[in-house]
Amino acid sequence: MTELLQVRGLEVEYTTRSGTTPAVRGVDFDVERGAVVAIVGESGSGKSTISQALIRQVAEGGRITGGSVVFDGRDLLQLPEKSLRSLRGARIGFVPQDPSSSLNPLIKVGEQIAESLRLHTGLSRKDAAKRAVEILAEVGISEPAARADQYPHELSGGMRQRVLIGIAWACEPALVIADEPTSALDVTVQRHVLDRMELLAAQHDTAVLLVTHDLAVAADRASRMLVMNQGRIVEQGTAADVLGDPQHEYTRRLVAAAPGLSSGRMHPRPVEVHGEDTRRALTLGFAERRDADRVPNILEVEDLVKTYSLRGGLGDKSTLVAVDHVSFSVPRGTTYSLVGESGSGKTTTARIAARLVQADSGVVRFDGQDIGELRGESLRQLRRRVQVVYQNPFGSLDPTMTVEAIVSEPLTAFRIGSRAERRETARALLDAVRLDPEFASRKPAQLSGGQRQRVAIARALALGPELLVLDEPVSALDVSVQEQILQLLVDLQREFALSYLFISHDLGVIRQISDSVAVMQHGRVVESGSAETVMSTPQDAYTRELLAAIPGAHSGP
């Protein structure tokens, strides 16, 4: 192989009101034809900035201040913009990280793929439309002809990400730059998409620069790996060498935190609380818990059914069975996990369990009480005892409120404590989720994704709940932050006798936190049991498929 891309001395900085910050500091690396090279590191390490700088599309406030990016003999940093535009899409494909802001909401997804084909390959409108449908099928989208006729908002986040991957690969480019291309995808779809990427690299001599925070994905797919920290490459080499014998302390920390590379059931540690006054403040919401005898199972779900009516493009109606006769029980003080791909029904089941969605039929009992018929004050009190932590901390926190106000808002709503007590409790909760109380005055925009998720957990704990419903709470986080949040949940569970209903598509995460597991597919539970039994000796073919797709266990496409 020969070098397709040579990066030398690349430097990028961002200018804000508070000054100038270097984001990439003198980076050097090569990408050979047909090779898969991974750039790994945490948020803020500079890896995504590199991917943007290579095609001169740095985010607002960013500026390339030095270096060269030589692609196929030409320095992209010196090319006229018109020449560079002719390379983007045709010779260099790019998969951006955020599908929600990267697709035109006013244009059908099939047309967005076809437009790239017409522009760069000269295909007729008819042939481009036909090829667009084929590409949607190739990246794992079911009913591709129907999906091609839909707008982005009509697709799930994972489907939108696959559309972007299809656009990037449409013209069979020499280089694909993929910025977190599979972070929103289920493990089986992730494997399918990454298999497709490897096949392209082999068949068309396509090089891939894979930007990811998932070391297990990098271990499976990359021939070479660059590890970034604070804008610099701190270690590079073959994936086997870097992950098998890491030399830099930062790399060793990432490897230790990656759930697909090394994982086992996490064990609780004491929650550090500084002072007896802080502990009293921390337990303000928990102090009013019921002390009556409790039933062994905090949550019992029996024969749940939930359907939705769908309307097709020609007005045809159909019925989607989202939850199909699902039953399970959550023993008090344990973690029960629902695992499955998008569309398996796990989130709908969890929302029914929390009384956020009404089932068509079936029974949900919380602490022995049927919650289906609760109304008024009884339902309000259930909200206090069952709290939900959502997947996206960016959308679940009010951007206009301070962290202190966000955390203490539930206490205010239920008139628990005085204003001073609520203020003290908010700061104690921040301490419990290992956030410095000085964050209390900040707003969500001033926090990282991991910090926002800690705030969301602190808010959920404020009322002293007995059950937390956790819907993909770590899927958007870096591996080291993910590990910290999972360990935090394990620690808090022991400290406050919490029960968890945990939702995830990631069996690597499930393995670390669960006591019991139910595997869902097409709305049904296909297998359930203790986490150890399900993970070590799966009985259902679908469970085996999910386990085989966990990154870090890959043996080739």
Side-chain angles (χ1 to χ4, degrees), residues 5 31 35-40 47-52 54-55 92-98 161 164-166 168-169 173-183 185 193-194 197-198 200 206-214 217-218 221:
L5 182 71
V31 178
V36 178
V37 176
I39 304 180
V40 302
K47 61 186 188 298
S48 290
T49 299
I50 287 178
S51 71
Q52 298 162 358
L54 296 182
I55 55 173
I92 303 175
F94 189 83
V95 183
Q97 184 173 354
D98 181 12
Q161 187 71 353
L164 290 174
I165 291 168
W169 292 343
L175 172 67
V176 170
I177 302 169
D179 187 2
E180 301 281 7
T182 60
S183 60
L185 304 183
V193 169
L194 293 173
M197 184 172 66
E198 285 189 358
L200 277 174
T206 303
V208 177
L209 186 64
L210 176 63
V211 178
T212 182
H213 68 264
D214 191 331
V217 167
R221 306 294 173 161

Side-chain angles (χ1 to χ4, degrees), residues 193 338 441:
V193 169
L338 300 179
S441 60

Side-chain angles (χ1 to χ4, degrees), residues 356-379:
L356 300 177
V357 171
Q358 193 78 34
D360 296 348
S361 62
V363 177
V364 178
R365 295 188 185 90
F366 175 78
D367 200 16
Q369 180 183 22
D370 183 349
I371 67 172
E373 303 302 321
L374 293 182
R375 298 289 185 274
E377 183 60 24
S378 297
L379 180 58

Side-chain angles (χ1 to χ4, degrees), residues 339-353:
V339 63
E341 299 173 283
S342 296
S344 64
K346 59 187 187 298
T347 293
T348 302
T349 299
R351 290 176 65 82
I352 293 172

Side-chain angles (χ1 to χ4, degrees), residues 36 79 158 170 179 332 342 362 411 416 437 527:
V36 178
L79 282 182
D179 187 2
R332 190 177 297 277
S342 296
L411 295 170
I416 297 173
E527 184 166 358

Side-chain angles (χ1 to χ4, degrees), residues 234-253:
V234 297
E235 189 163 356
Q236 62 178 303
T238 67
D241 287 344
V242 170
L243 297 178
D245 186 23
Q247 300 300 303
H248 196 277
E249 174 60 29
Y250 178 73
T251 311
R252 289 195 288 269
R253 291 203 309 270

